[in-house]
């Protein structure tokens, strides 16, 4: 069996395990301290850790772990942008309710653009002003603002999952969902 076939088999096994956790275990789990999205994140971290251990177990590469690491643990940005991201964007657009989106477009746009910009500036300026407390005197203002932009632009996947479980107001759900899409 070639190393590519072994890597593919390991990938399929991990996919089946994570899918079964997603479909059968997570909805039935009545954990109050861990949401379904958090549980799936934990499964991904454990699966990635197992792959990393598998790839680094044998330094002599008797079992082809280096090929497994090259194929599974490290994937390129092209894999993310051309294979993993399009189905996520398609599902988000398919699930979006057009009437609720356009009815709340003013709130969505103000949160997506104005709110994120103000948050990025406040976080960046705060980080720049407090950089001496953290011992990072070599940070410039543009670097601090770039840090603020990275921290402020969050993805509300967990928030939306909790909103679905709690059955919150549809307008609130659509505003947060629309802001994440924009």
């Amino acid at each position: 069996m070639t190393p590519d076939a072994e890597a593919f088999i390991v990938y399929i096994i991990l996919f089946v395990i994570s899918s079964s956790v997603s479909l059968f275990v997570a909805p039935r789990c009545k954990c109050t301290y861990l949401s379904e999205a958090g549980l799936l994140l934990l499964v991904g971290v454990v699966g990635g850790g197992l792959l990393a251990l598998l790839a680094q177990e044998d330094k002599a590469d008797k079992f082809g772990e280096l090929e497994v690491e090259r194929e599974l643990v490290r994937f390129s940005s092209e894999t993310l942008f051309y294979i993993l991201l399009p189905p996520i964007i398609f599902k988000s657009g398919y699930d979006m309710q057009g009437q609720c989106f356009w009815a709340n477009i003013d709130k969505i746009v103000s949160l997506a653009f104005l709110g994120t910009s103000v948050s990025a500036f406040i976080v960046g300026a705060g980080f720049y002003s407090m950089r001496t407390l953290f011992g990072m005197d070599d940070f410039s203002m543009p670097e601090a603002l770039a840090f603020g932009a990275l921290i402020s632009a969050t993805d509300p996947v967990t928030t939306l999952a909790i909103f679905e479980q709690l059955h919150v107001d549809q307008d609130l759900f659509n505003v947060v969902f629309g802001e994440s899409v924009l």
Side-chain angles (χ1 to χ4, degrees), residues 32-76:
T32 58
Y33 56 88
L34 188 65
S35 68
E36 182 179 347
L39 179 64
L40 295 177
L41 181 68
L42 187 63
V43 168
V45 167
V46 169
L50 288 175
L51 279 176
L53 285 175
L54 174 70
Q56 295 177 356
E57 180 183 62
D58 184 24
K59 297 294 182 192
D61 196 29
K62 283 195 294 191
F63 302 111
E65 287 92 2
L66 295 179
E67 288 81 8
V68 171
E69 180 180 24
R70 200 169 22 256
E71 292 293 323
L72 293 178
V73 179
R74 303 180 199 277
F75 63 93
S76 65

Side-chain angles (χ1 to χ4, degrees), residues 7-116:
F8 185 72
I9 289 171
V10 170
Y11 175 73
I12 293 297
I13 290 171
L14 286 174
F15 178 75
V16 167
I17 290 171
S18 64
S19 296
S20 63
V21 167
S22 173
L23 291 174
F24 301 114
V25 177
R28 291 175 180 85
C29 180
K30 300 296 181 196
C31 299
T32 58
Y33 56 88
L34 188 65
S35 68
E36 182 179 347
L39 179 64
L40 295 177
L41 181 68
L42 187 63
V43 168
V45 167
V46 169
L50 288 175
L51 279 176
L53 285 175
L54 174 70
Q56 295 177 356
E57 180 183 62
D58 184 24
K59 297 294 182 192
D61 196 29
K62 283 195 294 191
F63 302 111
E65 287 92 2
L66 295 179
E67 288 81 8
V68 171
E69 180 180 24
R70 200 169 22 256
E71 292 293 323
L72 293 178
V73 179
R74 303 180 199 277
F75 63 93
S76 65
S77 62
E78 287 85 15
T79 304
L80 175 71
F81 289 124
Y82 296 133
I83 296 173
L84 299 176
L85 200 57
I88 295 170
I89 294 172
F90 176 75
K91 184 181 181 322
S92 296
Y94 186 76
D95 289 344
M96 187 182 328
Q97 298 172 354
Q99 286 182 325
C100 292
F101 179 80
W102 291 112
N104 296 309
I105 193 70
D106 54 340
K107 297 174 200 129
I108 292 170
V109 169
S110 65
L111 280 175
F113 297 109
L114 186 64
T116 304

